[in-house]
Amino acid sequence: MRTLLLVGIGTGNPEHLTVEAINALNQADRLFIPDKGAGKADLADLRREIIARYVTNPSVRQVTYAMPVRDAANPDYAAGVDAWHDAIAERFGALIADIPEGGTGAFLVWGDPGLYDSTLRILERLPQREELTVRVVPGITAIQALTAAHAIPLNRIGEPVHVTTGRRLGPVTEDTVVMLDGRTAFTDADPDLHIFWGAYLGTPDQITIAGRLGDVAQQIIETRKAAREQHGWIMDTYLLRKRD
Ligand SMILES: C[S@@+](CC[C@H](N)C(=O)[O-])C[C@H]1O[C@@H](n2cnc3c(N)ncnc32)[C@H](O)[C@@H]1O
């Protein structure tokens, strides 16, 4: 029996790691680091920095693997997720086969493995899934990093919060967190909403903007564009809230 740890590493600040996460990384025989291509080298570097800073067990081995890329040029892009997950599952299968029998491998998962992350779902595709013990170590999510950066509570007293993606953002009827938004979906929302926006949350490059949506939307669009050009990638998250 092999053990697989999905260790939440937070959203870009090595200090987001919990003590549980540090102990888990030090227990592993193999640490798996995805290489998502040159444009996202910062993300692989952060994982290496975490390992250099916290992994003191000399027998832990780092294994970098090329992450299959989803083909955005394919007209069947939305439907293509299944094939993409199959390709990742195949890669995971090879990594897991390399864990010594009775040993432990660990994936360093961005944020928390339970929020908009497919690692758990992809593991379900593996033919050897039943022979694996899977353990999740929770991490700080982009939502927590966002509300902390703005020093606001996520919810209002007794109120619900809706979490969605940019693609699925519809009319905002309750407080709504938007992630995975490549198309600045907030531009279609009611300008009287309040937005709390953050990019590169937790990193030294963190940017935050807040205000009445109609007043700050253009500033966010321009800031986002310039930052994306400068870094080659961007991750941003925002909360839309009706004003009291
Ligand atoms: C694939 S999801 C991963 C979410 C992650 N598992 C979590 O717990 O936050 C990627 C999305 O998370 C958000 N995100 C992740 N890291 C972020 C960061 N440092 N700053 C702002 N948003 C971030 C963005 O909305 C991004 O599109």
Side-chain angles (χ1 to χ4, degrees):
M1 195 72 147
R2 295 176 169 99
T3 299
L4 203 56
L5 306 174
L6 306 193
V7 181
I9 59 167
T11 62
N13 180 349
E15 295 188 3
H16 281 181
L17 261 84
T18 62
V19 176
E20 185 185 7
I22 294 170
N23 288 338
L25 296 180
N26 277 290
Q27 264 172 32
D29 301 286
R30 303 277 186 277
L31 297 177
F32 303 126
I33 310 196
D35 180 352
K36 298 188 176 182
K40 292 196 171 166
D42 298 3
L43 307 182
D45 287 350
L46 177 84
R47 287 180 170 88
R48 288 202 187 88
E49 185 189 334
I50 285 170
I51 293 168
R53 203 193 269 209
Y54 299 120
V55 176
T56 48
N57 175 356
S59 56
V60 175
R61 210 172 89 199
Q62 293 181 47
V63 181
T64 303
Y65 65 99
M67 187 65 152
V69 178
R70 195 168 164 200
D71 182 6
N74 182 342
D76 211 10
Y77 183 66
V81 73
D82 228 31
W84 180 48
H85 282 180
D86 276 344
I88 300 174
E90 202 179 318
R91 196 67 47 92
F92 283 5
L95 295 171
I96 291 163
D98 182 50
I99 302 171
E101 186 48 46
T104 301
F107 286 101
L108 284 72
V109 178
W110 198 263
D112 179 78
L115 181 69
Y116 287 122
D117 186 274
S118 296
T119 312
L120 280 164
R121 269 183 292 273
I122 290 168
L123 291 179
E124 294 305 322
R125 293 173 183 244
L126 292 176
Q128 66 269 53
R129 172 65 185 88
E130 296 207 338
E131 292 143 36
L132 280 175
T133 302
V134 175
R135 190 159 79 78
V136 175
V137 179
I140 289 178
T141 69
I143 300 177
Q144 292 160 304
L146 176 75
T147 54
H150 286 281
I152 54 166
L154 173 60
N155 64 296
R156 287 187 280 185
I157 301 173
E159 294 294 324
V161 178
H162 183 62
V163 179
T164 190
T165 64
R167 202 162 54 85
R168 302 286 297 267
L169 179 66
V172 174
T173 55
E174 57 195 0
D175 290 1
T176 299
V177 174
V178 183
M179 301 175 70
L180 289 160
D181 183 9
R183 62 173 196 100
T184 54
F186 56 80
T187 46
D188 298 330
D190 176 356
D192 271 329
L193 290 167
H194 200 94
I195 186 168
F196 296 90
W197 177 83
Y200 313 102
L201 292 161
T203 78
D205 300 312
Q206 172 172 299
I207 314 170
T208 54
I209 296 175
R212 183 181 163 271
L213 183 57
D215 297 337
V216 298
Q218 195 52 36
Q219 184 194 353
I220 295 174
I221 290 167
E222 285 164 19
T223 305
R224 195 179 184 286
K225 185 167 178 284
R228 183 182 204 141
E229 278 166 17
Q230 185 193 338
H231 297 279
W233 62 277
I234 188 161
M235 283 205 262
D236 60 342
T237 298
Y238 52 92
L239 171 66
L240 294 170
R241 172 167 283 170
K242 281 199 175 155
R243 296 195 301 160
D244 290 319

